[in-house]
Amino acid sequence: MNTKFIKTALIVIILAVTSCSDDFLNRFPTDSLNSENFWHNENELKQYANDFYRVFVGHATGTSGSPIITGDNQSDNMVPLDFNLIAAGKNIVPTSGGGWDWQVVRSCNYFLTRYNQTPVGKEIKEKYAGEVRFFKVLNYFEKVKDFGDVPWLSKDLELNSPELYTPRDSRIMVMDSLLATINAAILGLPDKASAEEGRINKDIALLVKARMCLFEGTYRKYRNIAGSEKFLQEAASASQRLITEGHYQIHNTGKPTVDYASLFNSIDLNGNKEMIMFKAYITGLLGTATSWNLQSNNFNTSASKSLIESYLCVDGKPISQSDLYLGDKTIQSEMTNRDPRLNQTITFPGTGIQTSSKIPAISGSGISGVGIVPTGYQIQKFWVEDQQEYVRIQNGILDAPIFRYAEVLLINAEANAELGSATQETIDKTINLLRKRAGMPNMVIANLVKDQKSDFPSLPVLLDEIRRERRVELAIEALRYDDLVRWKAGSLLNKPVLGMKFIQSVYPKAVIGSSIYVNADGYILPYGKSLPTGRTYDEDRSYLLPLPLDELALNPALKQNPGW
């Protein structure tokens, strides 16, 4: 992607807010929009589609926290000071809202039932219809993940539409409809070479299709729901098409200690061939405080010991099998001889953010000027080692990856492994490209040995190691919770949440049982006070969110999700 992408992507955002003097994009669809005063030309189709691009939040704006980073708070990767309600099993039925919002779907349907009346060529019309179908799928997919069965709406409804008072449609029917919709979107969208910079193209839609189908395929497989193989085949096919067409490649300059980090700490991702889509930040137009927030740890967050332990040693073996693992008596020994991606994701004293620090600022440490690092493992991924970016505060220009090619490779490897069709050639063209960039040994199927401390003891070793690679490569990119859900692995959230080994002599001000809590082995218990009995994620209900009470009252045909 070139500089033109950055400018166009930003213009899309600006247009979404400013186009049309009557504030059209903030109000549509209304009764005033009809064949007499709209649908005249391509520009109007584009204006309508522009509004949907705001879904790509990226690192947010100003001093707000980056949803890319905080998205993993709902998983076993991240440990914020205040526990996540869903991960802890403490969320309740909302009175209203809760994600049960249909405005985007209605806006998409409004367009899709009217765009054909615009007097422009079919290719132009189908391009924008492809964009709108893409955003409809994106929004609907989130609803299926959240609620399971949802109403399938193929037209925009009015206040008296009977569809407003019908039961939900089955997940099976809705996902089949979404698969058909994303296929239609791909058919109408332009390819990467001919697409306008900054707009949705076939490649972006293919990645979303692959992601959606991998989710649904594994979700069904691990719950014995019919149709899993169909979706896994679609995931493998969509990801393979992206691989075969060769528009992208893994960013690898031969510097394993920085190449991975540079995907996340670059203030300009322009030209990075791994980026299928990114959000650009530009001084004076769109800014983010992400680097400042990380360096100051303004949101009091950290990584889990579980995430730290998932990284292999540099010999390609798990810490339970490798002679190179130095143990975890200190955070320095724990981080030594490990996959270089660990040190590019998490900082520790004397390195990165903590270059001038002797110890991390855990609870009770008495260290001022920075937020609390509940586990001792401070996030470094997305931090820019540049004082200029730090002092920009809310006007930082750190670009945000939205979709990257690494995920395509991981989807392809996992889908093929789930189907039983993964060969060494599959692994060489996917997983091993990521390991090569990291400076790690290749994964060789014939040499894999089951990790006796695996979170998935009954899983075949190949699938187990592909899941490990996915966790490591995509750590702190807001994808881990979805993985736990689709694998039916929510029980992992109920494992004790641990931090680093606590050493009293290093933290003389910390008082065990008062300002800090530890377990019998001396590891920090970040929720020792707030969750003394641990997290209680209920797998019988928590994979799906509850419907809000007001919607159940308005439509008696709606039934609450099980367990709520």
Side-chain angles (χ1 to χ4, degrees):
M1 294 180 180
N2 54 33
T3 305
K4 189 177 178 183
F5 175 94
I6 298 177
K7 294 178 180 177
T8 308
L10 191 60
I11 289 170
V12 165
I13 296 168
I14 294 171
L15 280 174
V17 178
T18 62
S19 290
C20 298
S21 59
D22 67 347
D23 199 25
F24 150 71
L25 288 176
N26 288 327
R27 298 190 298 110
F28 74 78
T30 70
D31 291 339
S32 64
L33 286 181
N34 53 52
S35 59
E36 294 182 2
N37 64 13
F38 203 70
W39 318 110
H40 295 131
N41 51 53
E42 179 182 358
N43 188 53
E44 290 180 341
L45 297 179
K46 179 185 284 190
Q47 286 177 4
Y48 199 111
N50 283 346
D51 192 58
F52 298 110
Y53 280 81
R54 68 183 67 196
V55 70
F56 298 122
V57 179
H59 285 313
T61 57
T63 56
S64 299
S66 167
I68 297 174
I69 299 172
T70 59
D72 261 9
N73 284 348
Q74 195 170 305
S75 74
D76 56 350
N77 278 352
M78 294 272 281
V79 184
L81 183 63
D82 297 322
F83 61 82
N84 180 273
L85 292 173
I86 292 178
K90 303 297 184 182
N91 57 316
I92 61 175
V93 179
T95 302
S96 61
W100 192 266
D101 184 302
W102 298 90
Q103 181 58 42
V104 171
V105 171
R106 181 171 190 259
S107 297
C108 290
N109 286 341
Y110 190 94
F111 179 96
L112 293 171
T113 56
R114 292 165 175 80
Y115 77 98
N116 262 319
Q117 63 190 272
T118 309
V120 296
K122 180 177 176 61
E123 185 175 346
I124 293 173
K125 286 190 287 191
E126 291 307 317
K127 174 175 66 174
Y128 295 108
E131 290 187 21
V132 174
R133 289 187 179 104
F134 169 87
F135 288 112
K136 180 178 179 178
V137 168
L138 211 58
N139 187 269
Y140 245 117
F141 180 41
E142 291 302 314
K143 285 178 169 51
V144 173
K145 287 191 295 183
D146 286 345
F147 302 108
D149 295 346
V150 292
W152 175 250
L153 305 176
S154 57
K155 62 181 181 179
D156 54 294
L157 304 183
E158 304 300 333
L159 291 176
N160 59 351
S161 296
E163 291 89 345
L164 293 173
Y165 303 99
T166 58
R168 290 185 281 174
D169 292 303
S170 75
R171 177 195 193 101
I172 304 297
M173 177 270 197
V174 174
M175 287 306 300
D176 284 344
S177 299
L178 289 184
L179 181 57
T181 304
I182 195 66
N183 284 337
I186 292 167
L187 189 63
L189 286 166
D191 58 27
K192 180 178 184 289
S194 59
E196 182 181 340
E197 296 284 354
R199 302 197 75 88
I200 303 301
N201 58 44
K202 288 184 188 294
D203 291 354
I204 296 170
L206 279 166
L207 187 146
V208 167
K209 175 184 175 179
R211 178 189 286 187
M212 178 181 75
C213 290
L214 180 69
F215 184 98
E216 188 64 12
T218 48
Y219 187 96
R220 295 189 188 193
K221 178 176 180 178
Y222 291 103
R223 290 165 176 81
N224 296 315
I225 300 173
S228 63
E229 186 171 324
K230 176 183 73 174
F231 279 92
L232 289 170
Q233 290 282 8
E234 291 282 2
S237 176
S239 56
Q240 187 60 51
R241 178 174 169 182
L242 285 166
I243 292 169
T244 302
E245 291 180 352
H247 298 156
Y248 311 94
Q249 63 186 51
I250 292 302
H251 175 67
N252 185 1
T253 67
K255 299 176 181 178
T257 58
V258 298
D259 275 347
Y260 178 73
S262 69
L263 296 167
F264 314 103
N265 63 17
S266 294
I267 61 176
D268 185 3
L269 287 171
N270 177 41
N272 189 302
K273 293 184 178 180
E274 187 166 332
M275 294 300 138
I276 296 176
M277 185 178 186
F278 68 93
K279 182 169 183 174
Y281 287 80
I282 303 176
T283 303
L285 293 175
L286 194 68
T288 174
T290 297
S291 189
W292 177 70
N293 283 335
L294 284 172
Q295 185 162 329
S296 303
N297 196 26
N298 290 320
F299 296 101
N300 301 291
T301 193
S302 58
S304 66
K305 187 172 181 62
S306 169
L307 174 61
I308 305 305
E309 291 185 337
S310 67
Y311 289 79
L312 299 171
C313 290
V314 292
D315 57 5
K317 297 179 181 179
I319 60 174
S320 63
Q321 299 173 3
S322 177
D323 294 334
L324 297 179
Y325 182 55
L326 301 183
D328 58 7
K329 184 177 182 180
T330 68
I331 191 171
Q332 288 89 345
S333 63
E334 190 173 12
M335 302 281 282
T336 300
N337 294 338
R338 306 292 294 281
D339 183 330
R341 286 172 290 189
L342 175 57
N343 291 331
Q344 294 171 68
T345 302
I346 308 299
T347 190
F348 64 97
T351 67
I353 296 176
Q354 295 181 14
T355 296
S356 59
S357 304
K358 295 181 180 179
I359 52 177
I362 61 174
S363 297
S365 65
I367 298 173
S368 60
V370 293
I372 293 172
V373 185
T375 62
Y377 304 116
Q378 185 173 354
I379 307 304
Q380 181 159 283
K381 190 171 179 176
F382 297 102
W383 172 68
V384 182
E385 191 174 3
D386 179 351
Q387 189 62 20
Q388 286 299 110
E389 178 68 5
Y390 175 79
V391 299
R392 289 186 183 107
I393 306 181
Q394 63 183 356
N395 294 313
I397 55 174
L398 174 69
D399 284 350
I402 303 297
F403 301 119
R404 61 188 182 96
Y405 185 54
E407 184 184 353
V408 173
L409 301 184
L410 290 163
I411 290 172
N412 189 264
E414 185 179 349
N416 276 293
E418 290 284 8
L419 290 165
S421 56
T423 64
Q424 186 60 49
E425 182 181 10
T426 305
I427 299 303
D428 289 342
K429 292 182 177 180
T430 56
I431 300 298
N432 286 338
L433 295 181
L434 302 177
R435 290 198 173 189
K436 181 180 180 181
R437 187 246 302 284
M440 289 289 290
N442 281 342
M443 177 188 290
V444 180
I445 296 176
N447 296 341
L448 291 177
V449 177
K450 184 71 175 182
D451 184 356
Q452 296 307 305
K453 293 187 176 181
S454 168
D455 286 331
F456 309 102
S458 62
L459 199 69
V461 63
L462 176 58
L463 266 174
D464 199 1
E465 292 306 316
I466 288 173
R467 288 186 182 185
R468 181 202 302 274
E469 193 71 26
R470 181 178 175 88
R471 186 181 191 182
V472 166
E473 178 68 26
L474 301 178
I476 316 176
E477 295 184 44
L479 294 170
R480 176 66 176 176
Y481 180 72
D482 281 357
D483 289 343
L484 297 180
V485 169
R486 65 190 180 86
W487 295 331
K488 202 179 181 183
S491 61
L492 294 180
L493 294 171
N494 291 331
K495 286 192 170 185
V497 181
L498 302 177
M500 68 179 190
K501 180 87 76 171
F502 175 73
I503 303 174
Q504 183 71 72
S505 61
V506 177
Y507 293 97
K509 295 183 179 181
V511 179
I512 294 178
S514 176
S515 60
I516 195 166
Y517 294 79
V518 301
N519 70 3
D521 296 318
Y523 297 109
I524 294 173
L525 290 171
Y527 301 140
K529 181 178 182 180
S530 58
L531 291 173
T533 59
R535 297 194 289 202
T536 53
Y537 187 89
D538 185 349
E539 289 193 274
D540 290 332
R541 74 168 192 172
S542 294
Y543 288 125
L544 298 177
L545 295 181
L547 277 66
L549 295 176
D550 61 347
E551 296 293 339
L552 295 173
L554 287 168
N555 180 7
L558 290 178
K559 303 301 179 185
Q560 186 59 278
N561 273 328
W564 293 102

